[in-house]
Amino acid sequence: MDQLDNIRAEALAQVAQAQSLEALEAARVATLGKKGSVSALMASLGKMSPDERKTAGAQLNAVKDQVAEAIATAKAALEAKALEEKLARERVDVTLPVRPESQGRIHPIAQVMDEMVAIFAQMGFEVAEGPDIEDDFHNFTALNIPAEHPARQMHDTFYFGEKDDGSRHLLRTHTSPVQIRTMLANKPPIRIIAPGRTYRCDSDMTHTPMFHQIEGLVIDKTTHMGHLKGTLMEFVTTFFEVDEVPVRFRPSFFPFTEPSAEVDIGCSREGGELRIGKGASWLEIGGSGMVHPNVLRACGLDPDEYQGFAFGMGVERMAMLKYGIPDLRTFFDSDLRWLKHYGFVPLDVPTLSGGLTR
Ligand code: 2U9
């Protein structure tokens, strides 16, 4: 059947000539489409005798399959070619400089906490953590804070609702309960720092209801106040990055330490500018003392066998002193302009070897 051979040759030629997916689709329509050459021949089968139709039908179906296969093969080849071209066209040039993007900042509280932790870690302290929601025992009783102490009053501490047994949870007023929990769970020697959030019902120029503390605790058999002072001296010189920072203990009182001392560091205030280091003035940076025997006993330790020191510092205050931030309340205003000014570049993590401040 010459006509069939011609149609086949023509259809295959049409498919072979198609240089694009669009051209191939046109070739498909022209051959196998409803009004295509192969389909037209199919329609002529109706006019044939049954015998003729049988042979011609089989041949025609074979042509149809052949053309369909040629189209499928051509389609796959064209698609592969199109993909190759697309990949070549859209190749990423990794050597191009990145587009400038607005960068976030590390909040000074987080930065200063990291700096302080890095220094104490270098000295061999471990970081200890505990819950923000505490109970009366860990926050007050175990710390030798008597029932009538003002810190326990409703207006100084954030209390939760009363439970069936009359007790109430509270938001910890200091990180000291972390040290209580550590002492109850571990045998000395203990050498920990407890950084974290603390809460007090206080809000004015110099107080915010939530603030941050870092407290330290060392318990061993021969620990004494000289170790406390040495630890603090090492800390302040490293933290303020000043060669010599005088440290002075001023007698004080805390229920959980005996003796207790306020910690002052030397500074000068010439020309209205505060400079940490040797100078005529003193600046308070925290409190400290030897852990009270009652506190040791509450944690199951024999004060005749163990003794230790503790200290506490406010993180906001340390950040204000080191980075010249004048107003405490701005720490919690969430003002992005402030954060851009006082914040730190991400990934510029403070380390003792790489530098605490850059
Ligand atoms: C235990 C025993 C003793 C931690 C201490 C202070 C003194 C202190 C203040 C500094 C500034 C709190 O943020 S602040 O207002 N802290 O004066 N803290 S001694 O003493 C402890 C803690 C835990 C078991």
Side-chain angles (χ1 to χ4, degrees), residues 143 176 179-180 183 200 211-213 215 217 254 256-257 262 285-289 291 295 310-314:
L143 284 152
S176 315
Q179 289 96 292
I180 296 295
M183 281 198 281
R200 290 181 197 173
F211 59 105
H212 300 77
Q213 284 189 340
E215 291 194 339
L217 175 76
F254 306 112
F256 28 85
T257 46
E262 227 87 50
I285 59 155
S288 67
V291 178
V295 175
F311 57 85
M313 282 176 274

Side-chain angles (χ1 to χ4, degrees), residues 47-223:
K47 295 178 198 131
M48 295 180 190
S49 70
D51 272 356
E52 271 178 334
R53 193 183 309 148
K54 208 172 171 190
T55 28
Q59 286 170 332
L60 198 49
N61 269 333
V63 170
K64 199 174 148 194
D65 289 348
Q66 207 180 346
V67 173
E69 200 186 313
I71 290 175
T73 311
K75 189 166 180 226
L78 286 170
E79 276 173 349
K81 192 167 148 239
L83 181 63
E84 292 271 315
E85 283 168 5
K86 191 168 149 76
L87 286 174
R89 199 169 52 244
E90 295 178 4
R91 194 176 49 204
V92 176
D93 183 352
V94 291
T95 65
L96 285 175
V98 292
R99 288 192 197 93
E101 268 183 34
S102 63
Q103 235 190 353
R105 288 286 190 279
I106 303 291
H107 196 282
I109 296 286
Q111 169 81 14
V112 167
M113 279 239 205
D114 287 351
E115 290 179 19
M116 295 174 86
V117 167
I119 297 166
F120 285 115
Q122 177 81 5
M123 285 193 237
F125 284 80
E126 267 180 66
V127 172
E129 287 178 308
D132 287 20
I133 298 173
E134 268 296 358
D135 54 38
D136 188 88
F137 173 76
H138 293 93
N139 195 80
F140 292 127
T141 310
L143 284 152
N144 196 37
I145 298 173
E148 67 283 359
H149 195 279
R152 287 191 176 225
Q153 306 284 300
M154 278 295 295
H155 55 265
D156 285 322
T157 302
F158 290 110
Y159 283 99
F160 289 81
E162 213 168 276
K163 292 191 291 181
D164 288 346
D165 63 3
S167 68
R168 278 177 297 176
H169 277 115
L170 51 86
L171 288 177
R172 66 182 183 190
T173 58
H174 40 195
T175 55
S176 315
V178 175
Q179 289 96 292
I180 296 295
R181 287 178 182 280
T182 305
M183 281 198 281
L184 285 168
N186 301 279
K187 267 176 70 88
I190 290 169
R191 205 189 286 160
I192 53 161
I193 48 163
R197 290 194 175 134
T198 50
Y199 309 83
R200 290 181 197 173
C201 285
D202 227 344
S203 191
D204 56 37
M205 282 284 285
T206 53
H207 298 89
T208 49
M210 189 278 293
F211 59 105
H212 300 77
Q213 284 189 340
I214 286 196
E215 291 194 339
L217 175 76
V218 172
I219 306 279
D220 209 338
K221 290 188 171 166
T222 57
T223 310

